[in-house]
Amino acid sequence: MGQFPEPVALPLTWVGIDDLPLLYVNQWLVQVAPPGEMMITAGQVSPPPVVGSAEDQYEQLQRWPFVAIRPVARFALSRARLDELI
């Protein structure tokens, strides 16, 4: 392949973005993975469903072993791209 006389700049355009579901996330997990990559997991957490008086709700919450974070998406990117995102 030969050299071009000058660089060719083509514009980038987001196509099909409206076809994707819009997902709500309120939790983030960022992990460093060698060599210099960042793993980002986005998730969503909701409070446990409890009903009744404040005392009833307190007792129900004491029985919950944990509150689940539901993963929505995972991404891998370089540290440089993470800095760009920030």
Side-chain angles (χ1 to χ4, degrees):
M1 204 186 228
Q3 288 285 68
F4 293 121
E6 58 186 64
V8 177
L10 296 174
L12 300 175
T13 302
W14 287 90
V15 176
I17 198 166
D18 292 331
D19 297 332
L20 295 173
L22 181 59
L23 304 172
Y24 175 75
V25 297
N26 58 7
Q27 300 293 310
W28 298 93
L29 173 64
V30 180
Q31 299 168 285
V32 178
E37 291 185 342
M38 309 300 283
M39 307 292 287
I40 301 175
T41 304
Q44 188 272 329
V45 67
S46 298
V50 293
V51 295
S53 68
E55 184 178 289
D56 291 340
Q57 292 179 29
Y58 180 74
E59 289 175 11
Q60 291 170 47
L61 288 172
Q62 287 183 314
R63 291 192 297 266
W64 278 75
F66 62 88
V67 177
I69 300 172
R70 305 283 179 207
V72 172
R74 294 184 78 198
F75 306 96
L77 57 158
S78 69
R79 176 63 201 205
R81 294 300 288 196
L82 179 62
D83 290 341
E84 193 176 309
L85 176 65
I86 292 169

